[in-house]
Amino acid sequence: MGAFWFVELGVLTLFLQAFNPGSAEESKCLPGFNSEMYIFKVERNHLQSGRRLGKVVFDDCTSRTSFLFHSEDSRFKVDGDGTLKLKRGVTLHNGHKEFYVSTQSKGKKITVPVRVLHEARHCHHHHHEMTTQPQPGSSLSLPVLNFPKSSGGLKRRKRDWVIPPINFPENDRGPFPKNMVQIRSNNDKEVKILYSITGPGADQPPVGLFTVDKNSGFLYVTQPLDREKKDKYVLLAHAVAVGEGKAEAPMDIIVEVIDMNDNKPVFTQDPFTGTVPEASKPGDEVMQVTATDADKEGSAHSDVRYTILSQEPPLPSLNMFVINPVTGMIRVNAAGLDRENILKYTLKIQAADLEGNGLTSFGKAIITVTDSNDNAPQFVTPSYTVSVPENKVDALVVKMPVTDGDDPHSSAWATTFKIVDGDPQGLFNVSTGPSKLEGIITTAKPLDFEKNNKYTLLVTVANEVPFAVPLPTSTATVIVNVEDVNEAPVFSPVEKMIKKPEDLPVDSDLVLYTATDPDTARNQKVTYKIRNDLAGWLSINKDTGLIKVKSPMDRESTFVQDNKYSVVVLGTDNDEIPATGTGTLIIELEDVNDNPPTIDERMIKVCNKESSPQLLSITDKDGAGFAAPYTVQLQGSSLSNWTARMNDTKTGIILTLKTMLDSGDYTVVLRVSDIQGLHQESTIQASVCDCKGADVQCIDKAVAGFGLSSILGILGAILLLLLLSLLLLMFLRKRGGEKKEPLLQEDDVRDNIYYYDEEGGGEDDQDFDLSVLHRGLDNRPDVFRNDIAPTMARPEYRPRPANPADIGNFIDDNLKAADNDPTAPPYDSLLVFDYEGGGSEAGSLSSLNSSSSGDDQDYDLLQQWGPRFKKLSDMYGGGED
């Protein structure tokens, strides 16, 4: 176990730069490496690729921890964190190797020498010592890590010191806690030092995995480590002087967990499945099995080797397959695979680490023997004779079934077909039918009976995959007889173009356009007809195909596009079922000067003072050579008042009023001629306005003569119309007021009673004298009841009391007196205190009998008047209920 306390192979010894003593606080930071030279010591001359040698530390006076390093020797690689590795194997022939490592900082290249030295034992440098001292209470010796001595000389801040890692095996059996290393301060002889550690595994999860004796500095591990969970721990060691504070700068302690072979290989799947064709040869690859090992990658603990332990069934030989022990690739080892006898093999595979000598696991590989194409397909019928009509594409010629003895629905069973002879022009196509055991021949191009009425085709059949062994190819012969059909006459050419002048006289010959009948053996006659002659300009002789002019042609017609006029000519044979062919005749009409130029504008407006020239546009339907340049001449009386000339391009007329005319409309006659003198007179309607210059403002004479008197007359008529409307409205309102009041009124002035304790007369009494209401019955009317004779004395009525509290007794007493008064009106109570007159204009209230007179009223309208009339609406508008 003591071997674990030494730095294992490849322990790195760092030769550190010496620093001059200086102030504790550095005044200035300069970018650079923390050593003037790095020495990495190794135990052997030959170094393998991928080996880690150590670490260089660079400080650019910032917080950066990763840099771009460059190695002078391409066999060495420096990672961004400064880790030095081997890119490929190196042999130290002289026992050492020197080269430079560089990086860029602030635009300057900074280099440092690196030396790899072969040395069998560990040397301790004065800057950082890792010595072995006896451990108290133990027969073993422990390495001692001394804090780096502070040194001066350079004014730059020191970075992390490169400390060789502590290697500790995983799965150690203890006892725990177990000593790993002792941490010592260089000042432990002068002052009392207290030691502590921080970082993952100490005060961070997993907390308490590592502890340190604060007095002695012994570092302990408290439980077994597992490299597969975490392969490295980086701790920070602290040394504090009692009573004086920090004694040393914190020091990194790296604990690397040594891998142990505690994980056996695991197959990536179980079982593995694969296929092998029955016709495979020895050495053909079948499939690959793989297993993984969780132990350290690249070590013997994860170096897996494969072996075939057994084969089931062991026929026709025991070793039908062999496996590559490193890659796991399974290959065919012997001939004799036969799907019809053995369909499947099961191999038991062993995977063992430590190059096949360590932990083992087992898996299966199931190999299915697949069919090989060892049976050639055969035509059911070796020859066919068929008939096919001519001029058809994709017409079915024949279907040819075949048989195959291979595994159904496999590539060795599915078939393909090929025409190998008899079709040099590619007139036929052969394809495989949906069943995969049928060849279908169709026509790829139209067949022509007149050219060839018989074809003999030779067809072969094969499988989708090549034959596994040499086999004869089956063939079939197909004789195709072409059937003659009535073909339509063919115009030659199908599109004929001619060029003729547009003024060709009527009944002139245009062209002879004929068609030939492909059915030469039938000797049929062709008749002709014109179709799509939209302008109706042409006629054709039905027997000869001679086309003539039937009516004058016009190049400027809307039926002509790009000077071309097209018609379709039909040619029909005289078969029992006639066939018709078509041809297109395109006539390119040559232009002639048959259209005089015309002026586009028909009306203009000008001022009669300092009139501005008017530009008139000219149009000529004829083409170039028969149009511009144009000339213009004024005609008749227009010569005396107007001037006309052509513009610079001779394509427009500049018309100017030269005489001041009265405002009004004038006619200007112009004769415009084209380049060949073909002319036409055009009339322009010119409106001369009383204005000046180019600002043409014409006022209608009728509007101008419309004076102030006319305007006043119109306003008076409007006022009179408004007055009549107002009188009519007042008349209608008065007439409406004479009508009887409706059943229900929204507003009635008589409802506004301001004194609710006073009563007056009826309709006849609108001028109320309210004083009579306080006089009792002393002022009762002189009219007495004639139907009752007085039989008793007149009672006496009490006067109105002065005290309002006695008003109740006053009313009761006078009520009794009125009941016994023979001269009182025939009422049951003291309700009326004054006479209201005789009769009423309202008539009898019996006319309001709702049971007989309201049937024709629409009481549902009351619902629209709001919630106050809802009750009435329910009572009268709810139907019979």
Side-chain angles (χ1 to χ4, degrees):
M1 296 296 293
F4 292 121
W5 308 125
F6 291 95
V7 180
E8 68 172 6
L9 299 180
V11 169
L12 310 179
T13 303
L14 177 62
F15 183 77
L16 303 175
Q17 176 186 3
F19 294 94
N20 294 326
S23 174
E25 296 182 2
E26 299 167 353
S27 60
K28 186 177 180 182
C29 176
L30 298 176
F33 292 89
N34 71 340
S35 178
E36 293 184 352
M37 182 177 182
Y38 292 93
I39 299 178
F40 301 98
K41 297 182 180 182
V42 296
E43 79 287 352
R44 58 180 64 180
N45 284 327
H46 182 70
L47 307 178
Q48 294 182 351
S49 173
R51 176 165 179 171
R52 180 181 181 275
L53 297 178
K55 190 175 183 181
V56 298
V57 178
F58 183 81
D59 180 21
D60 68 342
C61 302
T62 66
S63 59
R64 286 183 57 190
T65 60
S66 179
F67 302 89
L68 182 62
F69 295 99
H70 173 71
S71 173
E72 181 187 50
D73 192 331
S74 61
R75 295 173 296 178
F76 296 85
K77 175 185 177 182
V78 185
D79 293 338
D81 61 351
T83 301
L84 180 64
K85 297 179 180 178
L86 281 171
K87 293 176 63 177
R88 58 179 184 270
V90 174
T91 300
L92 305 177
H93 297 287
N94 298 323
H96 60 86
K97 176 65 180 176
E98 292 83 14
F99 57 96
Y100 285 90
V101 172
S102 63
T103 186
Q104 294 282 340
S105 178
K106 298 182 179 179
K108 295 177 61 177
K109 181 179 179 181
I110 302 176
T111 62
V112 66
V114 175
R115 184 178 188 184
V116 179
L117 180 65
H118 172 219
E119 186 171 299
R121 62 184 180 86
H122 301 291
C123 295
H124 309 300
H125 199 272
H126 69 280
H127 287 294
H128 169 264
E129 296 180 354
M130 182 173 179
T131 61
T132 302
Q133 296 180 359
Q135 178 183 352
S138 173
S139 60
L140 300 176
S141 59
L142 289 178
V144 176
L145 293 179
N146 287 336
F147 280 87
K149 297 178 181 179
S150 60
S151 48
L154 294 179
K155 299 295 185 177
R156 68 181 182 206
R157 179 167 54 89
K158 297 187 295 292
R159 298 289 292 175
D160 295 339
W161 293 82
V162 180
I163 306 300
I166 301 171
N167 297 290
F168 194 85
E170 65 174 336
N171 304 322
D172 191 271
R173 296 185 179 181
F176 296 100
K178 190 168 186 177
N179 293 333
M180 298 179 64
V181 72
Q182 183 183 16
I183 306 170
R184 287 193 60 187
S185 171
N186 295 311
N187 302 320
D188 59 352
K189 296 180 181 180
E190 290 81 8
V191 294
K192 172 66 175 176
I193 302 296
L194 296 180
Y195 301 95
S196 63
I197 58 173
T198 59
D203 60 343
Q204 300 177 19
V207 178
L209 183 60
F210 301 98
T211 61
V212 66
D213 188 300
K214 65 179 182 178
N215 296 314
S216 64
F218 284 109
L219 180 67
Y220 299 94
V221 59
T222 61
Q223 61 186 26
L225 303 180
D226 188 350
R227 193 201 68 86
E228 284 68 45
K229 291 184 178 179
K230 190 173 181 64
D231 61 351
K232 184 172 68 174
Y233 297 87
V234 180
L235 305 175
L236 200 61
H238 306 272
V240 178
V242 176
E244 297 182 9
K246 183 184 298 183
E248 304 283 357
M251 175 178 64
D252 281 341
I253 299 178
I254 301 175
V255 179
E256 290 190 353
V257 184
I258 300 175
D259 183 41
M260 305 296 290
N261 191 20
D262 57 343
N263 291 280
K264 65 181 181 179
V266 178
F267 282 100
T268 56
Q269 67 182 75
D270 191 23
F272 291 87
T273 58
T275 60
V276 58
E278 60 178 333
S280 297
K281 300 176 182 178
D284 290 348
E285 292 184 353
V286 179
M287 60 185 296
Q288 185 180 22
V289 297
T290 55
T292 59
D293 197 304
D295 290 323
K296 185 176 181 180
E297 184 179 358
S299 68
H301 297 163
S302 61
D303 191 350
V304 180
R305 302 299 167 92
Y306 305 92
T307 307
I308 296 178
L309 300 180
S310 65
Q311 169 191 305
E312 183 64 32
L315 299 173
S317 65
L318 182 61
N319 299 316
M320 292 297 296
F321 302 94
V322 66
I323 189 169
N324 186 310
V326 178
T327 64
M329 177 63 69
I330 299 176
R331 300 176 183 269
V332 177
N333 188 48
L337 295 174
D338 190 351
R339 178 183 175 277
E340 286 71 25
N341 293 327
I342 301 175
L343 180 62
K344 187 180 297 182
Y345 289 91
T346 301
L347 306 180
K348 184 177 181 181
I349 310 296
Q350 172 186 284
D353 57 19
L354 290 179
E355 299 180 356
N357 300 314
L359 302 177
T360 60
S361 61
F362 304 95
K364 289 183 179 181
I366 300 175
I367 302 175
T368 302
V369 182
T370 60
D371 185 39
S372 294
N373 193 11
D374 53 358
N375 294 282
Q378 300 293 323
F379 282 101
V380 176
T381 302
S383 63
Y384 300 87
T385 301
V386 295
S387 297
V388 179
E390 64 174 334
N391 301 324
K392 288 189 176 181
V393 179
D394 291 331
L396 177 63
V397 177
V398 67
K399 293 183 178 181
M400 303 170 294
V402 296
T403 59
D404 195 297
D406 291 313
D407 187 22
H409 308 293
S410 66
S411 298
W413 172 83
T415 56
T416 60
F417 299 85
K418 184 178 181 181
I419 299 175
V420 296
D421 191 25
D423 185 25
Q425 298 176 341
L427 300 176
F428 300 91
N429 177 63
V430 62
S431 60
T432 303
S435 66
K436 299 294 184 179
L437 291 178
E438 183 181 54
I440 301 175
I441 297 180
T442 57
T443 55
K445 299 177 183 179
L447 304 180
D448 192 345
F449 174 83
E450 286 72 28
K451 292 183 179 180
N452 191 353
N453 59 7
K454 185 177 181 179
Y455 297 89
T456 301
L457 307 178
L458 182 62
V459 185
T460 62
V461 60
N463 294 115
E464 291 182 351
V465 295
F467 295 146
V469 294
L471 296 172
T473 302
S474 178
T475 61
T477 301
V478 180
I479 299 175
V480 182
N481 295 314
V482 182
E483 297 176 349
D484 187 24
V485 297
N486 184 29
E487 300 176 76
V490 178
F491 283 88
S492 180
V494 177
E495 187 176 275
K496 189 177 184 67
M497 180 175 290
I498 62 174
K499 183 181 293 187
K500 297 292 181 179
E502 63 174 325
D503 61 346
L504 202 64
V506 175
D507 205 30
S508 298
D509 294 344
L510 271 179
V511 67
L512 182 66
Y513 194 22
T514 59
T516 57
D517 194 337
D519 301 315
T520 56
R522 301 192 181 197
N523 194 22
Q524 298 179 131
K525 183 181 179 181
V526 179
T527 57
Y528 302 94
K529 184 179 180 181
I530 290 181
R531 188 178 66 181
N532 292 346
D533 182 13
L534 301 178
W537 292 340
L538 309 178
S539 64
I540 190 170
N541 189 304
K542 68 175 184 176
D543 297 322
T544 64
L546 178 63
I547 300 176
K548 293 187 174 184
V549 178
K550 183 173 67 175
S551 61
M553 298 182 294
D554 185 4
R555 188 190 68 90
E556 291 74 33
S557 171
T558 57
F559 299 108
V560 178
Q561 301 293 330
D562 297 330
N563 301 333
K564 295 180 178 64
Y565 180 70
S566 301
V567 295
V568 177
V569 181
L570 305 180
T572 306
D573 60 24
N574 60 348
D575 192 77
E576 293 181 358
I577 302 177
T580 301
T582 61
T584 301
L585 176 63
I586 301 176
I587 307 172
E588 184 177 353
L589 296 175
E590 297 175 343
D591 189 25
V592 298
N593 195 10
D594 57 347
N595 292 281
T598 59
I599 298 176
D600 297 339
E601 291 80 8
R602 293 301 178 185
M603 298 182 64
I604 62 173
K605 292 183 179 181
V606 297
C607 291
N608 56 5
K609 304 180 187 69
E610 299 180 8
S611 175
S612 297
Q614 302 293 316
L615 179 61
L616 307 179
S617 303
I618 301 176
T619 300
D620 195 321
K621 294 181 179 180
D622 293 323
F626 303 107
Y630 304 105
T631 58
V632 62
Q633 293 178 345
L634 288 167
Q635 303 295 313
S637 60
S638 302
L639 289 169
S640 58
N641 298 323
W642 303 84
T643 61
R645 62 181 179 86
M646 299 304 300
N647 61 0
D648 295 338
T649 60
K650 305 298 183 181
T651 57
I653 301 173
I654 299 177
L655 181 64
T656 307
L657 178 63
K658 68 178 182 178
T659 304
M660 181 174 176
L661 301 176
D662 294 335
S663 59
D665 294 333
Y666 297 86
T667 300
V668 181
V669 180
L670 298 171
R671 175 184 292 177
V672 184
S673 305
D674 59 22
I675 190 174
Q676 292 188 344
L678 185 63
H679 62 269
Q680 178 176 296
E681 292 185 357
S682 299
T683 301
I684 306 300
Q685 190 71 27
S687 296
V688 178
C689 307
D690 190 9
C691 57
K692 182 178 181 180
D695 186 14
V696 182
Q697 295 181 356
C698 293
I699 302 176
D700 196 338
K701 292 181 178 181
V703 176
F706 200 71
L708 180 61
S709 58
S710 300
I711 296 176
L712 293 176
I714 293 175
L715 292 177
I718 294 174
L719 292 176
L720 180 61
L721 182 60
L722 292 176
L723 181 60
L724 292 175
S725 300
L726 181 61
L727 293 175
L728 179 61
L729 181 62
M730 295 177 62
F731 173 75
L732 293 176
R733 182 165 184 173
K734 180 178 181 181
R735 184 178 180 183
E738 295 176 354
K739 295 181 180 179
K740 293 183 178 180
E741 295 294 328
L743 178 64
L744 295 173
Q745 281 189 335
E746 184 176 358
D747 291 321
D748 191 346
V749 295
R750 287 177 293 179
D751 290 341
N752 298 328
I753 300 175
Y754 297 100
Y755 298 95
Y756 295 97
D757 57 347
E758 298 176 352
E759 297 184 5
E763 289 81 355
D764 291 339
D765 187 8
Q766 295 296 331
D767 297 326
F768 301 110
D769 184 8
L770 299 180
S771 62
V772 298
L773 297 178
H774 301 282
R775 299 175 185 171
L777 295 179
D778 295 337
N779 294 330
R780 59 184 181 275
D782 294 335
V783 179
F784 298 98
R785 295 177 58 177
N786 297 324
D787 57 341
I788 299 178
T791 58
M792 60 185 68
R794 174 183 176 183
E796 294 184 0
Y797 294 93
R798 289 181 56 186
R800 182 181 181 91
N803 187 5
D806 296 335
I807 193 65
N809 295 330
F810 162 75
I811 293 175
D812 291 338
D813 294 342
N814 287 349
L815 177 61
K816 293 177 182 179
D819 288 340
N820 297 322
D821 189 353
T823 63
Y827 301 114
D828 293 336
S829 62
L830 187 62
L831 300 177
V832 178
F833 293 89
D834 200 3
Y835 178 65
E836 296 181 355
S840 174
E841 293 182 358
S844 175
L845 295 179
S846 63
S847 62
L848 299 178
N849 189 349
S850 61
S851 62
S852 60
S853 62
D855 294 340
D856 58 346
Q857 298 291 334
D858 184 11
Y859 294 101
D860 292 338
L861 185 63
L862 297 174
Q863 295 185 1
Q864 302 179 6
W865 294 3
R868 296 183 180 180
F869 295 90
K870 184 177 184 303
K871 186 64 177 177
L872 289 176
S873 173
D874 294 340
M875 294 174 58
Y876 294 95
E880 296 180 358
D881 295 339

